[in-house]
Amino acid sequence: MNVLNKESTLPAWLEYFGVCQDQIGSNVWWQSVSSAGVPFVKEESEQTSSVLFVWQDPHGTDEKSSIASVLLDVNSITDHHSWEPVCLHRISGTDVWFGQLTVDSKWRGSYSFIPIEENQLPDLVLQAGDGSREAQRAWWMSVAGNQIPDPLNPLPVLSSGWGISSPLHLPKAATELGWQEWDRGELNAISASRVNSIDWSSKELGNQRTAWLFSTATSDAPLVILLDGQKWGAPSGTLSVLQYLTDTSKIAPARYLLVPSIDGLTRWKELSCHHPFWQSLLDELLPIVTSILAKDDCSATDFLVAGQSLGGLSALYAGITFPDVFSKVISLSGSFWWPDKDRMVDPDNVIASKPIPADSLAEQILNDRVSVSHLKVYQSVGTGEEDMCVYNEQTRQAIKGKGGCVRYEVFCGGHDWLSWRSGLIKGLLFLIPADMAD
């Protein structure tokens, strides 16, 4: 990853993209930049592209603004464990900040800017503290709240557990079915009247939440359970994309049950291979769904469960634990290091000494403590996810070795909603293609 920090290189970029070079930072100059569309992407070779990010300081020039630095946060590329983060560079006397990265041309990921003031500069915080890993993490978490999307990026902003960000699609990134149409504003929004709200008050779990049921089918059809359902609702574009791909005969008509996670602590508990969560979902939530479908003389023909990160772990757990219900699973960047939390602290050393986590799903499968021969799984993980690739590969091999069917993809990206939205669609194309409805 290379970073541009010399003003002398900016004119060449502006000339290459036909951007006005006169009076950098003037209103005319910013209008020219906005019209050209940012970030600027230039292919440097068969494998790599350079990306130029440009940001306008809303407080004006360095004489007027209290912003001392702007961190460039690119999902799974930025090192969140470093005291020397990648930063944009200000052109003196202007409101212009800019920076460059060299990235794999197949990359797709989200990014944001983090403006900070002088008292938040990492070198000052480092000098004032003990320099520990905990201190570095505390500093990063303290500035992460300043995260903002790129206001000049013409594509819709993204919302995830890490805040609001902007999308970055490199020239050779895999084609996204349906999402390109959504980003261009070509798909219809899904009206609230088409989404059934379901109040799920669980005696088993001792909590309550609202789930949502959306249908692209008018008769008997598969039921797809989407974990972290609050992320896949109508504002994200997911429902519009699902309707579009159904209408264009890419995926079969289906029902989609969006099951939200209540909060971080509850999510950690419920999606970490937690039997009571799935038992209560089967005993309490699915009967409500069944009664709603019955009003239209419809029923679920089979069940598919999909999730990402911890949800990807939980989705496979459901398929293993309840084989009579779930035989189709979409696992995106599954947290298959579970239950060994130490692997998140020092992954390299732990992997070297104990390659397969004790009592993990992979170990249970390999030791024939559970059966997977009934499963049909779509599984994906990103090149930028480091040790997650190791655990996902272990799990894939375990499922395949014990008779399960797995379609496994390694995408060029990170632990990122922008990647997972593509993965969800690819999983549905594999598990409920349009021709299965024939």
Side-chain angles (χ1 to χ4, degrees), residues 189-197 213-217 239 243 247:
I190 299 299
S191 66
S193 62
R194 291 193 55 194
V195 181
N196 282 313
S197 295
L213 182 64
F214 171 71
S215 296
T216 60
L239 305 188
Q243 185 65 64
D247 293 342

Side-chain angles (χ1 to χ4, degrees), residues 387-437:
D387 54 298
M388 296 283 283
C389 297
V390 175
Y391 302 126
N392 272 268
E393 175 62 21
Q394 290 173 353
T395 306
R396 178 195 73 85
Q397 291 182 4
I399 297 171
K400 185 177 179 181
K402 293 298 182 176
C405 173
V406 187
R407 175 170 292 182
Y408 186 71
E409 294 194 30
V410 179
F411 56 85
C412 191
H415 204 71
D416 194 341
W417 286 93
L418 190 60
S419 299
W420 296 335
R421 73 179 195 177
S422 300
L424 174 64
I425 298 305
K426 288 183 177 180
L428 295 173
L429 290 169
F430 174 56
L431 296 172
I432 54 169
D435 54 14
M436 72 170 287

Side-chain angles (χ1 to χ4, degrees), residues 12 42 45 57 128 134 147 150 154 156 174 200 222 230 283 406 416-417:
K42 180 169 60 174
S45 68
D57 190 329
E134 291 74 19
Q147 178 188 35
D150 185 346
W200 177 23
Q230 74 278 11
D283 294 343
V406 187
D416 194 341
W417 286 93

